[in-house]
Amino acid sequence: MNRLQEKRQQRFLLSLLLSLLMSVGAMAQNKLITGVVKDVAGEPVIGATVAQKGTTTGTFTDVDGGFKLNLPKGAKLLITYVGYVSQEITIGDQTTLNIVLKEDEKMLSEVVVIGYGAVKKGDATGSVTAIKPDEMNKGLQTNAQDMIAGKIAGVNVTSGGGTPGGGATLRIRGGASLNASNDPLIVIDGLAMDNEGVKGLANPLSMVNPNDIETFTVLKDASATAIYGSRASNGVIIITTKKGKAGARPRISYSGNVSVSTLGKKLEVMSGDEFRQYVTSKVSDTEATAALGAENTDWQKQIYRTALSTDHNITVAGGFKNTPYRFSLGYTNQNGILKTSKFERYTAALNLSPTLLDKHLTLNLNAKGMYAKNRFADTGAVGAALSMDPSQSVYSNVAEFGNYFQWAVPGTDLNDSRTGLVTTNSLAMKNPLAMLEQKDERSTSKAFVGSADIDYKVHGFEDLRLHMNLGADYSTGEQTVVVSPYSGTNNYYGYNDYDTTDKYNLSLSMYAQYSKQLNDDHRFDVMGGYEWQHFHRKGNYLNYGLYPSTTLKTDASGASLAGTRYEEKSSEWATESFLVSFFGRANYSLKDRYLLTLTLRRDGTSRFAKDSRWALFPAVALGWKVNDEAFMQGLTAVNNLKLRLGYGVTGQQNITSSNYPYLPTYVASKDGAYYYFGDELQNLSRPSAYNKDLKWEETTTWNAGIDFGLWNNRLEGALDVYYRTTKDLLNEVVVSAGSNFSNKVLSNIGTMENKGVEFSLTYRPIVRKDLTWEVSANLTHNVNKITKLTSGSGEGYYVATGGITAGTGGNAQAHMVGHAASSFYLYQQVYDNAGKPIEGVFVDRNNDGVINDDDKYIYKKPAGDVQLGFSTKVLYKNWDFGLSARADLGNYVYNDVLANQANVSAGGVWSSKFLSNRLKDAVALGWTGASGYTFSDYFVQNASFLKLDNITVGYSFDKLFGKNLSGRAYVTGQNLVTITKYKGLDPEVFGGIDNNIYPRPVMGILGVSLNF
């Protein structure tokens, strides 16, 4: 049901009752006036009040919007309806009126949550986007980030693949940093979260049940984010969860779905028959042909499955006289398409919002709990399934490998007294199914987030509000890895890992806000406050092997070591950091048309030395409501037009590598550096790299925007252009030779800029009683460029990044002045006349007759030039249809999977006594492993894509089986189509290096929501 229908139904009965009470005496009236009242869409307005101004004479419009009234000439007729602009008409000679009411944007303007408060959307001066999750076309939403993918201009969401319960990488207007965190700040019900997860908990969004979320508000420019200062350089995502309603009867609701996931695409490799023919024709070594099996094993089919998943949520919401409440429980059971992978989550949330002291004191109490269990699949099996010999069977009769086929060599186990054993070939790929079945990697994570929001409107001085927020985030995660003694990766002894992380985040914020409407022209509010946050993390790590029960190995006394641990390693650690802040904001409105916002925040961090600890972050923003100007009153088609201009500075201190980068510390070696002290083996310690001159990374942003709405907001949208520069970039750089530190140290190394355009548009071409059609689209164009690197000297200086598996210890990307961060840095491939790449032949770009690192060049970048989002929704009576799609244009990916398989020579297919399969694309190349071939720009491929994220068809009902039970049933297809030129498994790869990604599945979802 659309908003117009709801509005009519709610007021029709009230209109009929009120019409009986209105006086209709009209003895002095001499003319019958008839008319029809409609809205801009041409729909009748039912129940509108039509009255003679200054009298009790009047009536209400009927179901067709019509009315009749006797009025004298010269009378003033006033037409009013809640939510619409009132209209006054002077009666002249006319007897028939056709009246069109347009919606009152001032009454209907939504309040959006901003930093430390809220503001009417029409009064916002910064680049702020607020959305409510689409309940009708949402697809499968396991984590909160699934709800905003492709929905907001400037916000890019890239999932880590198809891992059940997996996290995603969020970027707002690109990244502002090189090595420091580029993640946006997440604020949940007033509590600023710690972006670092624990074992099994990818990020803070993983612990929030998507069904509990009421709104997302994204702050994008510095004038909007500066109130959060040091943690807001990468934007802010504010999540507000659902609440009950005061005085409402208890309402129980249920929502749930069941989904089926399948593999959408496999990479083409040689079949068993094709591989046997290839080896026979290419490899002259008779031992290789003798090693061939007789099977046609599809190893990709062996590791994938069709997975069934379910999700269930129950909510009880209502309100006592002064206390709205909402309580919810959720359960998610998601099985992955890669065998053995599974995610289970239990959530609970409670919200209480009492108002006390004659509505002067408002409390908002939130508590959220989450318990999750993960079973992780070894994603190395994805790559192994491509390389494993397809002529071999899955199983064998070799007991030492648990009866899985493995490439083996005869010999004696050095840790055992038995001889005549077989051990795995350490250089060969392992049986991919055995990698999954013989490795049991699990995590258990628990999280609790609680916040108390207290707002007091001072008695007798109600323009002054005192506000305090107390918050706590407690999380713990435990991850265990148990590898079978029979695993092909361990040669009988297996190993056990135990890794735990515990963290808590405590916060206190207090502010006072004074608001005053001086007269019709002047309105202002001023706010100032203080915030304190403490982040604490600790962990424990334990690793050991276990001698199996069949071992014959004994200790010095001759006692059996069966069942005992060996080579045990353990470590404990703890770290913490603090943030202390003072902040203030002033808003001023002149004539409710000219808006000014000033923001100032001073932050202190424990991560920098005393002299660099504090920084000041100012911001200013201007807004102009053009549509309220007198010269716009004749343009009835324009109901909203606002211009915005903003400037601000934000900071960055969220360093992922260490909380103490400026302090000289010693750390325990983990690389086997031991010595004997007496009879005991002691671990060596080494100095860690530090930089006492480390300081804040600062981002300055300019933003200009326009918000518009036409034809009673049938068409509405926003356009923003921005330019931001980041100075004193934090990044790890190589330490000069001779240092006793590790080879890299964190430093402030340069500057970077981002500039771009964002555009969002919503159009409602049809708004009828039984048919509504809405179309939304958004576009983001961002250009990223490094403008200065201060740590290097000489032309061509760069910071290497983007490690690849194909080249041992090699990097395929670089940070370099004049280019986008993480651009690909490779050799330029030479092609023959037929356009085929010539192996190992590269362009001598500096013409010195030698091909070396000096000939590498910047070629393309992983971040796309343009991101597009599109959605549409059609409502016809009780039916609904929705569609969502995304596109990324101009992004490139280094196909590490293909590069790793490009050597199809006899020595590449048969080496070190094992056979390995090849991609058909690699066979087509025909390369034989020339030196440096993996650093060819040939492997950088166009990964632009268009994805049809989901299609949904639903049916809503008011009563089910004659009972007072309303709800909706729907069916959804998700990740249905991907259109791309990229030759790998999936073009959506964050960072640009594609290796062993967990495939995103194609899904079918059947769901229902019920209201009791």
Side-chain angles (χ1 to χ4, degrees):
M1 181 180 291
N2 60 36
R3 187 176 68 177
L4 188 59
Q5 290 173 300
E6 290 177 336
K7 207 180 293 181
R8 293 169 181 160
Q9 292 182 3
Q10 291 169 358
R11 308 195 186 282
F12 181 58
L13 291 177
L14 178 62
S15 301
L16 293 178
L17 292 174
L18 291 176
S19 64
L20 297 176
L21 302 177
M22 294 190 67
S23 171
V24 292
M27 298 303 295
Q29 297 158 348
N30 57 10
K31 185 163 53 176
L32 178 65
I33 303 296
T34 62
V36 176
V37 179
K38 295 183 178 181
D39 63 13
V40 176
E43 292 291 308
V45 178
I46 305 169
T49 301
V50 183
Q52 182 180 352
K53 188 175 181 181
T55 72
T56 59
T57 300
T59 186
F60 294 90
T61 56
D62 58 25
V63 291
D64 296 316
F67 69 90
K68 294 180 181 181
L69 200 61
N70 288 305
L71 294 173
K73 186 176 181 179
K76 293 185 182 298
L77 187 65
L78 185 64
I79 303 97
T80 60
Y81 188 75
V82 175
Y84 287 79
V85 177
S86 299
Q87 194 170 145
E88 186 176 304
I89 297 174
T90 301
I91 300 300
D93 295 329
Q94 72 269 42
T95 57
T96 303
L97 299 175
N98 290 305
I99 301 166
V100 178
L101 294 182
K102 70 175 185 177
E103 293 187 42
D104 187 349
E105 290 302 313
K106 293 182 179 178
M107 296 182 65
L108 297 179
S109 61
E110 297 180 355
V111 173
V112 296
V113 178
I114 57 174
Y116 308 98
V119 67
K120 284 186 178 182
K121 185 177 180 181
D123 291 340
T125 54
S127 181
V128 179
T129 301
I131 67 167
K132 289 189 176 182
D134 189 343
E135 296 295 333
M136 289 189 170
N137 185 35
K138 57 185 181 180
L140 185 66
Q141 297 176 346
T142 304
N143 290 328
Q145 63 260 9
D146 301 330
M147 309 174 81
I148 59 176
K151 299 294 193 299
I152 304 174
V155 179
N156 184 261
V157 180
T158 306
S159 68
T163 303
T169 302
L170 284 78
R171 292 292 179 264
I172 297 178
R173 294 183 170 180
S177 183
L178 294 181
N179 187 264
S181 174
N182 277 305
D183 296 328
L185 173 65
I186 307 295
V187 180
I188 302 176
D189 289 328
L191 175 61
M193 305 294 291
D194 176 6
N195 276 330
E196 295 184 46
V198 297
K199 300 298 178 181
L201 186 62
N203 57 44
L205 293 179
S206 300
M207 64 85 54
V208 182
N209 188 329
N211 288 275
D212 292 332
I213 295 176
E214 177 72 20
T215 61
F216 286 90
T217 303
V218 180
L219 313 181
K220 292 183 284 190
D221 71 330
S223 65
T225 63
I227 193 67
Y228 286 106
S230 66
R231 303 183 63 193
S233 283
N234 301 296
V236 181
I237 297 177
I238 302 174
I239 294 176
T240 303
T241 57
K242 296 176 181 177
K243 301 174 178 60
K245 295 183 179 180
R249 293 169 52 187
R251 185 178 183 182
I252 301 174
S253 60
Y254 165 82
S255 65
N257 63 68
V258 58
S259 61
V260 178
S261 304
T262 60
L263 180 66
K265 177 184 178 181
K266 293 194 301 183
L267 294 179
E268 293 296 322
V269 295
M270 287 184 282
S271 67
D273 290 337
E274 291 169 329
F275 188 65
R276 276 185 288 270
Q277 182 181 4
Y278 188 85
V279 172
T280 302
S281 61
K282 295 290 184 180
V283 183
S284 59
D285 191 337
T286 57
E287 190 176 357
T289 55
L292 286 166
E295 302 294 329
N296 271 290
T297 301
D298 185 341
W299 289 104
Q300 292 182 84
K301 184 177 180 180
Q302 291 295 323
I303 64 173
Y304 295 117
R305 66 184 177 187
T306 298
L308 185 69
S309 305
T310 59
D311 185 76
H312 306 278
N313 300 276
I314 296 176
T315 301
V316 180
F320 302 111
K321 182 178 180 181
N322 296 323
T323 307
Y325 62 85
R326 185 180 186 275
F327 175 69
S328 68
L329 292 172
Y331 171 69
T332 300
N333 186 333
Q334 187 178 8
N335 292 293
I337 59 171
L338 191 58
K339 289 180 179 178
T340 73
S341 59
K342 182 177 181 179
F343 172 72
E344 279 188 282
R345 181 182 63 197
Y346 302 83
T347 61
L350 174 65
N351 172 267
L352 298 173
S353 306
T355 56
L356 307 169
L357 304 179
D358 193 26
K359 297 185 178 181
H360 279 64
L361 179 62
T362 302
L363 306 179
N364 189 14
L365 309 176
N366 290 282
K368 303 174 187 65
M370 186 276 299
Y371 174 74
K373 296 189 295 183
N374 278 281
R375 170 80 188 270
F376 300 103
D378 187 343
T379 54
V382 175
L386 302 177
S387 298
M388 195 66 182
D389 179 359
S391 73
Q392 306 298 335
S393 62
V394 178
Y395 304 100
S396 73
N397 59 0
V398 181
E400 286 87 351
F401 303 143
N403 296 115
Y404 286 98
F405 171 81
Q406 300 285 5
W407 288 107
V409 293
T412 301
D413 186 357
L414 298 178
N415 292 318
D416 207 319
S417 58
R418 291 176 294 176
T419 58
L421 302 176
V422 291
T423 61
T424 53
N425 186 333
S426 60
L427 299 177
M429 76 290 301
K430 305 305 181 285
N431 185 317
L433 184 60
M435 293 174 68
L436 299 175
E437 300 288 353
Q438 293 182 329
K439 182 178 182 180
D440 189 354
E441 184 174 3
R442 299 175 185 264
S443 73
T444 300
S445 52
K446 305 171 188 176
F448 170 81
V449 174
S451 63
D453 205 66
I454 306 167
D455 189 272
Y456 175 57
K457 189 161 50 176
V458 178
H459 280 79
F461 195 44
E462 282 75 7
D463 292 334
L464 178 64
R465 292 172 49 235
L466 304 178
H467 196 98
M468 180 170 67
N469 185 283
L470 300 168
D473 167 21
Y474 290 90
S475 301
T476 180
E478 173 187 304
Q479 189 158 328
T480 60
V481 182
V482 179
V483 177
S484 166
Y486 303 104
S487 169
T489 60
N490 289 281
N491 293 333
Y492 310 112
Y493 292 130
Y495 68 90
N496 295 257
D497 269 356
Y498 173 81
D499 199 352
T500 64
T501 304
D502 301 305
K503 75 165 188 177
Y504 63 78
N505 166 18
L506 303 177
S507 73
L508 165 68
S509 67
M510 301 180 293
Y511 65 85
Q513 183 173 10
Y514 179 71
S515 303
K516 187 67 175 179
Q517 181 79 44
L518 294 180
N519 49 43
D520 291 340
D521 292 340
H522 304 283
R523 173 170 51 87
F524 69 89
D525 72 76
V526 180
M527 180 265 285
Y530 164 84
E531 186 170 59
W532 170 91
Q533 284 190 282
H534 179 202
F535 306 95
H536 183 275
R537 296 169 62 85
K538 68 176 182 178
N540 183 27
Y541 171 77
L542 177 64
N543 172 271
Y544 62 89
L546 190 69
Y547 289 108
S549 58
T550 56
T551 185
L552 300 179
K553 190 168 180 63
T554 60
D555 61 16
S557 65
S560 173
L561 291 174
T564 60
R565 297 179 180 180
Y566 73 94
E567 294 184 358
E568 180 174 314
K569 297 180 181 179
S570 64
S571 65
E572 294 185 15
W573 57 271
T575 184
E576 65 179 351
S577 64
F578 292 85
L579 275 174
V580 176
S581 308
F582 301 90
F583 57 87
R585 179 174 59 213
N587 291 312
Y588 171 69
S589 172
L590 175 62
K591 298 182 182 296
D592 198 29
R593 295 198 296 273
Y594 312 107
L595 311 172
L596 171 66
T597 301
L598 300 172
T599 305
L600 189 65
R601 181 164 176 135
R602 181 169 171 79
D603 277 338
T605 176
S606 63
R607 285 183 165 131
F608 299 145
K610 184 177 180 180
D611 293 340
S612 306
R613 186 159 293 167
W614 289 89
L616 194 65
F617 304 109
V620 59
L622 300 171
W624 178 24
K625 296 182 182 180
V626 183
N627 60 292
D628 286 340
E629 295 288 355
F631 62 81
M632 293 290 294
Q633 299 310 302
L635 299 176
T636 56
V638 181
N639 57 281
N640 177 36
L641 182 61
K642 183 174 68 174
L643 303 181
R644 295 177 280 104
L645 180 64
Y647 163 85
V649 181
T650 51
Q652 176 64 280
Q653 53 81 48
N654 193 8
I655 307 161
T656 57
S657 57
S658 171
N659 277 328
Y660 317 103
Y662 70 95
L663 288 175
T665 59
Y666 281 81
V667 296
S669 299
K670 294 183 179 180
D671 52 6
Y674 299 95
Y675 72 98
Y676 277 97
F677 186 77
D679 295 331
E680 295 185 6
L681 191 64
Q682 301 291 332
N683 194 357
L684 289 173
S685 294
R686 55 184 171 81
S688 60
Y690 73 97
N691 182 354
K692 62 181 178 61
D693 297 321
L694 208 61
K695 59 184 178 180
W696 288 87
E697 183 180 281
E698 291 189 356
T699 299
T700 301
T701 303
W702 289 91
N703 191 96
I706 178 172
D707 303 323
F708 60 90
L710 304 176
W711 305 300
N712 204 32
N713 274 357
R714 290 281 289 273
L715 176 67
E716 58 181 336
L719 173 67
D720 280 82
V721 294
Y722 61 87
Y723 175 77
R724 63 176 182 166
T725 60
T726 304
K727 68 176 184 178
D728 297 322
L729 285 166
L730 292 165
N731 196 67
E732 290 185 338
V733 295
V734 177
V735 178
S736 58
S739 169
N740 63 342
F741 296 145
S742 59
N743 65 337
K744 290 185 177 181
V745 63
L746 193 65
S747 303
N748 299 98
I749 68 166
T751 61
M752 181 169 64
E753 69 176 23
N754 282 275
K755 54 186 176 182
V757 179
E758 297 169 356
F759 181 61
S760 60
L761 192 69
T762 297
Y763 179 50
R764 302 172 183 89
I766 300 176
V767 182
R768 302 292 183 190
K769 181 178 180 181
D770 292 327
L771 178 62
T772 302
W773 180 21
E774 180 179 287
V775 180
S776 295
N778 64 78
L779 177 149
T780 303
H781 171 59
N782 183 77
V783 177
N784 169 270
K785 184 170 69 174
I786 297 172
T787 55
K788 184 180 180 181
L789 289 177
T790 58
S791 293
S793 58
E795 185 179 353
Y797 173 78
Y798 67 93
V799 177
T801 187
I804 56 176
T805 58
T808 304
N811 294 284
Q813 294 171 312
H815 303 314
M816 185 181 292
V817 171
H819 301 279
S822 298
S823 293
F824 297 105
Y825 188 60
L826 299 162
Y827 294 118
Q828 184 178 357
Q829 180 66 51
V830 173
Y831 296 82
D832 61 20
N833 292 333
K836 185 176 181 179
I838 304 172
E839 183 185 8
V841 180
F842 306 118
V843 175
D844 182 9
R845 294 181 62 87
N846 63 358
N847 297 313
D848 65 353
V850 178
I851 300 297
N852 54 27
D853 281 354
D854 293 335
D855 293 300
K856 289 183 178 180
Y857 78 118
I858 294 294
Y859 177 71
K860 305 299 183 181
K861 57 184 176 59
D865 297 316
V866 177
Q867 289 81 42
L868 299 167
F870 173 83
S871 64
T872 185
K873 181 166 55 179
V874 178
L875 306 178
Y876 176 68
K877 294 186 177 179
N878 289 6
W879 291 93
D880 61 82
F881 168 83
L883 178 150
S884 295
R886 288 179 299 123
D888 201 347
L889 308 178
N891 57 306
Y892 284 77
V893 167
Y894 178 89
N895 193 337
D896 199 11
V897 176
L898 177 60
N900 203 28
Q901 291 213 337
N903 181 0
V904 296
S905 67
V909 174
W910 168 255
S911 64
S912 302
K913 308 300 182 183
F914 69 91
L915 291 164
S916 61
N917 200 2
R918 289 292 182 263
L919 291 167
K920 288 186 176 181
D921 284 342
V923 175
L925 277 177
W927 287 7
T928 58
S931 176
Y933 73 92
T934 57
F935 297 102
S936 166
D937 64 5
Y938 172 78
F939 297 110
V940 177
Q941 299 178 351
N942 187 343
S944 298
F945 65 83
L946 170 63
K947 286 196 173 189
L948 180 57
D949 278 341
N950 51 66
I951 295 178
T952 298
V953 176
Y955 180 80
S956 301
F957 47 86
D958 293 328
K959 290 188 177 182
L960 186 64
F961 308 123
K963 305 294 183 181
N964 187 24
L965 182 62
S966 62
R968 176 174 173 267
Y970 64 91
V971 60
T972 297
Q974 183 161 310
N975 193 30
L976 297 175
V977 178
T978 299
I979 300 174
T980 183
K981 293 181 179 180
Y982 182 60
K983 296 180 180 180
L985 199 60
D986 193 318
E988 193 173 6
V989 179
F990 181 78
I993 307 295
D994 179 13
N995 46 35
N996 287 345
I997 186 175
Y998 191 127
R1000 297 175 177 89
V1002 175
M1003 306 179 70
I1005 307 163
L1006 181 63
V1008 65
S1009 59
L1010 301 172
N1011 301 310
F1012 298 90

